[in-house]
C-alpha cells in the first residue's frame, strides 16, 4: 500500500505543511506510518499568492482580493517544527463559499506529483485558532471533492477514529470533512472516496 502524506497545519491562519525533512518522524499511538512524502514545503516562498503557488475561488471568478484570504510561508509552524503554508483570514474579511485556497504542487520541482498507485492521502492540521468554531473543509484534489458519506480519519485520544464526509448545503453533490473545535493532528482519507483516478496530481485545495 502506498500512502500519500501532506502535513497540513490549519489555523485562523490556516497553516499548511508537508512532512518532508522532518521524517523520520516518531509516530505516536494511533498515528499513520509508512508514509511517502509528496511535497517538501521547505522551499515555499514568503507570499504564495504573489508567487503563483496558491490561488482561491475568488481568483477563479473575478480575481484574488488581497486581504480577503492570504497565504504565506510560516517557518517552524508545521509538523515537528517544519515550514508551513499559512492560510490567513483577516478579521472582518467576508466569509463565504469562495474561502478555499488551492496549492499548486507543480510550482515546486521537489513536489512529487506522481500519485499512481496511491490508496490514501494523509495530512497534518492545526486548527488551534478555531477553538470556538467547528470547521468544514472541501478537500479537493485536482478540483475533485470526495463523495458524500465517505470515510475519513482523525486521531483522537491516541486512536484512529473514522468520520464520514457530510452534505453541508442543499443541492451539494460532494462531501466536506468536519473537524472538532481546535483540532490538531493527522487527517487521512481513502482516495477511493473520490470519483476519479489520480495519476499526475497538480493541485490540492482546502
Amino acid at each position: 500500500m502506498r500512502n500519500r502524506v501532506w502535513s497540513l497545519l490549519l489555523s485562523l491562519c490556516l497553516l499548511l505543511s508537508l512532512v518532508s525533512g522532518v521524517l523520520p518522524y516518531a509516530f505516536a499511538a494511533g498515528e499513520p506510518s509508512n508514509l511517502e512524502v509528496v511535497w517538501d514545503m521547505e522551499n515555499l516562498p514568503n507570499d504564495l499568492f504573489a508567487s503563483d503557488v496558491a490561488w482561491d475561488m475568488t481568483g477563479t471568478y473575478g480575481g484574488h482580493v488581497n486581504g480577503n484570504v492570504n497565504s504565506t510561508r510560516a517557518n517552524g509552524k508545521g509538523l515537528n517544527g517544519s515550514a508551513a503554508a499559512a492560510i490567513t483570514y483577516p478579521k472582518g474579511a467576508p466569509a463565504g463559499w469562495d474561502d478555499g485556497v488551492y496549492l499548486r504542487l507543480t510550482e515546486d520541482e521537489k513536489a512529487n506529483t506522481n500519485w499512481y498507485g496511491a490508496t490514501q492521502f494523509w495530512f497534518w492540521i492545526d486548527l488551534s485558532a478555531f477553538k470556538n468554531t467547528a470547521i468544514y473543509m472541501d478537500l479537493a484534489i485536482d478540483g475533485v471533492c470526495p463523495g458524500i458519506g465517505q470515510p475519513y480519519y482523525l486521531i483522537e485520544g491516541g486512536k484512529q477514529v473514522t468520520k464520514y464526509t457530510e452534505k453541508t448545503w442543499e443541492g451539494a453533490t460532494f462531501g466536506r470533512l468536519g473537524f472538532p473545535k481546535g483540532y490538531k493532528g493527522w487527517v487521512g482519507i481513502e482516495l477511493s472516496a473520490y470519483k476519479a483516478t489520480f495519476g499526475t496530481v497538480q493541485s490540492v485545495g482546502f
Side-chain angles (χ1 to χ4, degrees):
M1 176 186 294
R2 295 175 63 206
N3 294 344
R4 296 294 181 172
V5 60
W6 202 348
S7 159
L8 176 67
L9 176 65
L10 284 173
S11 60
L12 190 64
C13 184
L14 301 182
L15 295 171
L16 315 169
S17 74
L18 264 176
V19 180
S20 67
V22 304
L23 289 177
Y25 168 75
F27 294 96
E31 292 186 341
S33 58
N34 299 321
L35 301 173
E36 180 180 336
V37 177
V38 294
W39 194 3
D40 179 346
M41 288 192 167
E42 297 301 324
N43 271 354
L44 284 180
N46 289 327
D47 188 327
L48 276 63
F49 276 106
S51 302
D52 210 31
V53 174
W55 86 98
D56 59 13
M57 291 302 290
T58 304
T60 301
Y61 296 97
H64 171 65
V65 179
N66 190 35
N68 182 44
V69 56
N70 301 310
S71 185
T72 57
R73 178 189 174 98
N75 291 319
K77 297 295 185 178
L79 175 65
N80 206 26
S82 62
I87 299 176
T88 308
Y89 298 97
K91 184 177 181 179
W97 62 270
D98 53 356
D99 286 344
V101 171
Y102 297 78
L103 300 180
R104 293 184 173 97
L105 282 75
T106 51
E107 291 300 310
D108 188 341
E109 61 182 14
K110 287 189 175 182
N112 183 356
T113 59
N114 179 8
W115 289 27
Y116 286 99
T119 58
Q120 296 179 337
F121 175 49
W122 285 86
F123 58 94
W124 192 78
I125 188 171
D126 185 347
L127 290 166
S128 297
F130 295 94
K131 293 180 179 178
N132 299 313
T133 306
I135 295 296
Y136 285 90
M137 176 192 295
D138 297 351
L139 184 60
I141 301 175
D142 279 349
V144 181
C145 291
I148 298 168
Q150 297 297 314
Y152 66 98
Y153 315 110
L154 304 182
I155 307 299
E156 298 180 334
K159 297 181 180 179
Q160 181 173 302
V161 178
T162 301
K163 307 284 186 177
Y164 294 90
T165 57
E166 299 180 42
K167 180 179 181 179
T168 58
W169 51 278
E170 189 64 33
T173 58
F174 63 89
R176 286 176 168 158
L177 282 65
F179 297 93
K181 296 176 181 178
Y183 181 76
K184 183 177 181 179
W186 288 97
V187 184
I189 190 167
E190 303 285 344
L191 291 181
S192 60
Y194 297 80
K195 294 180 180 180
T197 300
F198 299 111
T200 301
V201 172
Q202 300 185 48
S203 69
V204 177
F206 303 93

